[in-house]
Amino acid sequence: MSEALTGSSRRPEHPGSGRRQARALPKGRQAGPEARQEVEALLGDSPRHRDLLIEYLHRIQDRHGQIPADLLAALAELLQLSYAEVYEVATFYAHFDVVKEGMPPLPPLTVRVCDSLTCAMHGAAALHEALDGRVGLEARVVRAPCLGLCDQAPVVEVGHHFLHQARPEAVLEAIRQGDTHPHMADYVDLDRYRAAGGYRLLERLGAGALAAEAVIAALEHGGLRGLGGAGFPTGRKWRAVREQPGPRLLAVNGDEGEPGTFKDRHYLNTDPHRFLEGTLIAAHVVEAEAVYIYLRDEYPLAREILTREIAKLPPGGPALHLRRGAGAYICGEESALLESLEGKRGLPRHKPPFPFQRGLFGRPTLINNVETLYWVRDILERGPEWWAGQGRHGSKGLRSFSVSGRVREPGVKLAPAGITLRELLEEYCGGMAEGHELVAFLPGGASGGILPASLADLPLDFGTLEPHGCFIGSAAVIVLSQADDLRAAALNLMRFFEDESCGQCTPCRIGTQKARLLMEREQWDLPLLRELSEVMREASICGLGQAASNPLLSLLRHFPEMAGEEGQPA
């Protein structure tokens, strides 16, 4: 190991200086032979590439339930990285628990209690309090952001096993039984998918019977837009990447971390090959040499299914790399996702250049989310007219609404784009839950804002909600009733954004914290909150900081009485 790595070149202080002499070998940065041997065994024959750092941190975390300092140092050695570089990555992600040298080890099992909005509405705080102190020395209880199961709130994750509509005794029993792994459910595997005509479209494309230009034209004509939240026209994006000089890559955004959103989980857990075929079609059209599927760590069942089914695919075509997130909402932002795929902290990049010009590993990169790719096969087989004709109230296509909150039948609801909330509730959700009346709703998850019941007849689609200070985003609909405190809901969302800010830019890092502190006061300082929100929207690097104040501002706009402004426009 070099002197720069070990720190052995540091000059000792002069004996008469009166200052404390620096350590020749800083604690926690040296890997002993046992640590090196263990990490080498964990890595096995896997390549020692920098971009695999997060994958290897997961191997240590999975083995020990934490990352001891000596193993972190050994990993840095084996990857020929500085300890500081590995440490900063490991401590950036919420699902890595780095134990510094001299600290006692953590309990091997982590119990995560979701405290995002829908779970909070269903008693997450009381559940956390009931569990804390009762799990024993073998586990620890921590609060967690959205786990992607809002329709089953409240949710608790024991290891990698999820308990739906969780109660304290059920959680304690899972701990006692060692029930910490995901439970496999029925899904459409490769044989069933092929029997229903799967992969014939991809085969036609590979054989030249279907031209790449025809695929792009169909997506453009049908009007498919990115369904991860931004709504950028899919065909136009594919064309832009295809026009860039090669080699090109494809990155799939499966980091579905927006509170209230769980549609990608549903499709991955039930019909993974429809998504995989769409992915391979996209890779073929843009001539991508490799595909990187970035999947959030909260979806272990989807990861297990994809690992199993990708292994069944015939050889040939682009390499499919399945990469695992580590608990960072910011990595849903496309450039932060690229940084994470490269084994770094998920810090959003400054633009330009844009990812389609210079993306993953500096190559032109197509980035699509899971649901966007899921619909490619259907649009091409049924025709763009079929897709365009599915909408309602002038909209095109279908939308997978993740519906949770005070409804009788929550879940993923495949409905026409442009449907109104009132229609969605009555036709797909069985109406409001017993004893609850509609007061407000979030049309697009945590960042989409809050709308009043009086606007429940607005079409839910791109461009229809913006005049009212909201947007549909990923179509995560959270329904609130008279039982819910709207100020508390807005505060819950601001706490989420504060926790999930990557910290790179001051407007977001400090702005979300300051907004949260102001919103915790009984009397809100409205001029200061508005000024702070404007700074965050105008000066933040990425969409997290730019959208963090949307719930607050929409609450002030549509519910001025909640902030002490009754009768006054926001």
Side-chain angles (χ1 to χ4, degrees), residues 269-543:
N269 287 359
T270 57
D271 199 358
H273 283 282
R274 193 171 299 270
F275 152 70
L276 288 172
E277 184 170 12
T279 299
L280 292 170
I281 289 171
H284 184 97
V285 168
V286 303
E287 299 176 358
E289 292 187 350
V291 176
Y292 290 80
I293 303 172
Y294 190 91
L295 188 64
R296 70 183 309 221
D297 196 33
E298 291 86 348
Y299 290 174
L301 179 57
R303 184 171 66 251
E304 185 174 335
I305 290 172
L306 286 175
T307 300
R308 179 183 301 183
E309 296 304 313
I310 287 173
K312 297 177 182 179
L313 295 176
L320 293 174
H321 302 281
L322 184 58
R323 295 292 177 83
R324 184 176 169 186
Y329 167 74
I330 189 62
C331 291
E333 195 276 336
E334 61 178 10
S335 64
L337 177 143
L338 298 178
E339 290 289 296
S340 191
L341 281 171
E342 293 179 1
K344 305 171 187 175
R345 294 175 294 165
L347 302 181
R349 298 175 179 177
H350 292 276
K351 303 170 186 176
F354 296 95
F356 81 92
Q357 300 165 316
R358 182 179 172 84
L360 188 59
F361 308 123
R363 298 180 178 184
T365 304
L366 172 65
I367 305 175
N368 280 137
N369 90 305
V370 169
E371 192 196 357
T372 306
L373 296 167
Y374 180 90
W375 289 113
V376 168
R377 175 191 165 188
D378 287 85
I379 293 173
L380 296 179
E381 286 186 342
R382 302 188 185 193
E385 294 81 7
W386 165 80
W387 177 262
Q390 295 301 307
R392 191 179 291 187
H393 303 301
S395 296
K396 292 183 178 181
L398 296 166
R399 293 303 301 262
S400 301
F401 292 92
S402 305
V403 185
S404 64
R406 308 299 186 180
V407 299
R408 192 182 301 274
E409 300 170 9
V412 176
K413 310 297 180 179
L414 183 60
I419 193 173
T420 69
L421 177 79
R422 202 175 308 279
E423 292 168 340
L424 183 66
L425 292 178
E426 293 174 357
E427 298 176 30
Y428 292 86
C429 302
M432 295 290 292
E434 187 70 28
H436 291 270
E437 297 177 2
L438 178 65
V439 169
F441 64 100
L442 282 70
S447 57
I450 304 174
L451 290 173
S454 60
L455 296 180
D457 293 314
L458 279 175
L460 299 175
D461 200 8
F462 298 113
T464 61
L465 306 178
E466 283 79 355
H468 303 277
C470 294
F471 57 83
I472 190 170
S474 58
V477 177
I478 304 177
V479 179
L480 298 97
S481 75
Q482 78 280 4
D484 302 306
D485 182 339
L486 298 189
R487 280 177 52 129
L491 176 59
N492 177 284
L493 299 172
M494 188 58 73
R495 284 173 175 157
F496 168 80
F497 289 121
E498 179 191 3
D499 287 346
E500 295 299 325
S501 173
C502 73
Q504 180 179 191
C505 68
T506 302
C508 177
R509 181 182 69 250
I510 302 300
T512 52
Q513 179 191 56
K514 183 65 174 177
R516 186 262 302 170
L517 290 171
L518 290 169
M519 293 169 70
E520 286 178 341
R521 297 178 181 177
E522 184 175 350
Q523 186 66 35
W524 285 2
D525 186 335
L526 300 180
L528 184 55
L529 280 170
R530 287 196 176 93
E531 182 181 1
L532 183 61
S533 298
E534 182 179 359
V535 171
M536 291 166 61
R537 287 197 298 179
E538 295 297 326
S540 295
I541 291 175
C542 80

Side-chain angles (χ1 to χ4, degrees), residues 141-316:
V141 180
V142 300
R143 52 183 289 271
C146 187
L147 296 174
L149 284 160
C150 313
D151 55 333
Q152 302 293 327
V155 179
V156 174
E157 182 183 10
V158 179
H160 287 301
H161 170 50
F162 294 86
L163 284 85
H164 303 171
Q165 298 171 344
R167 296 293 178 264
E169 289 307 320
V171 176
L172 295 172
E173 181 63 21
I175 296 172
R176 285 193 292 267
Q177 296 294 330
D179 191 2
T180 60
H181 298 286
H183 292 188
M184 185 60 66
D186 182 51
Y187 67 91
V188 180
D189 63 7
L190 179 60
D191 290 338
R192 288 170 60 186
Y193 186 72
R194 281 196 177 278
Y199 290 109
R200 292 178 188 171
L201 192 64
L202 179 64
E203 291 166 358
R204 288 182 58 213
L205 190 62
L210 178 63
E213 177 58 36
V215 172
I216 293 177
L219 297 180
E220 289 177 332
H221 182 58
L224 178 65
R225 301 176 67 169
L227 298 175
F232 193 86
T234 304
R236 190 192 306 174
K237 179 183 281 192
W238 288 22
R239 188 181 300 281
V241 174
R242 184 176 168 84
E243 290 173 351
Q244 295 295 310
R248 309 178 194 92
L249 297 172
L250 168 59
V252 178
N253 189 343
D255 195 62
E256 184 183 46
E258 181 79 13
T261 311
F262 45 90
K263 58 187 177 61
D264 289 354
R265 170 189 59 81
H266 169 74
Y267 290 127
L268 291 171
N269 287 359
T270 57
D271 199 358
H273 283 282
R274 193 171 299 270
F275 152 70
L276 288 172
E277 184 170 12
T279 299
L280 292 170
I281 289 171
H284 184 97
V285 168
V286 303
E287 299 176 358
E289 292 187 350
V291 176
Y292 290 80
I293 303 172
Y294 190 91
L295 188 64
R296 70 183 309 221
D297 196 33
E298 291 86 348
Y299 290 174
L301 179 57
R303 184 171 66 251
E304 185 174 335
I305 290 172
L306 286 175
T307 300
R308 179 183 301 183
E309 296 304 313
I310 287 173
K312 297 177 182 179
L313 295 176

Side-chain angles (χ1 to χ4, degrees), residues 79-120:
L79 295 182
Q80 297 184 341
L81 299 171
S82 71
Y83 181 89
E85 191 173 7
V86 175
Y87 180 85
E88 73 174 8
V89 172
T91 53
F92 178 85
Y93 295 93
H95 289 186
F96 295 141
D97 299 303
V98 179
V99 180
K100 300 177 183 178
E101 189 167 322
M103 290 176 57
L106 297 170
L109 180 64
T110 298
V111 177
R112 291 188 170 89
V113 181
C114 179
D115 69 350
S116 288
L117 181 55
T118 307
C119 284

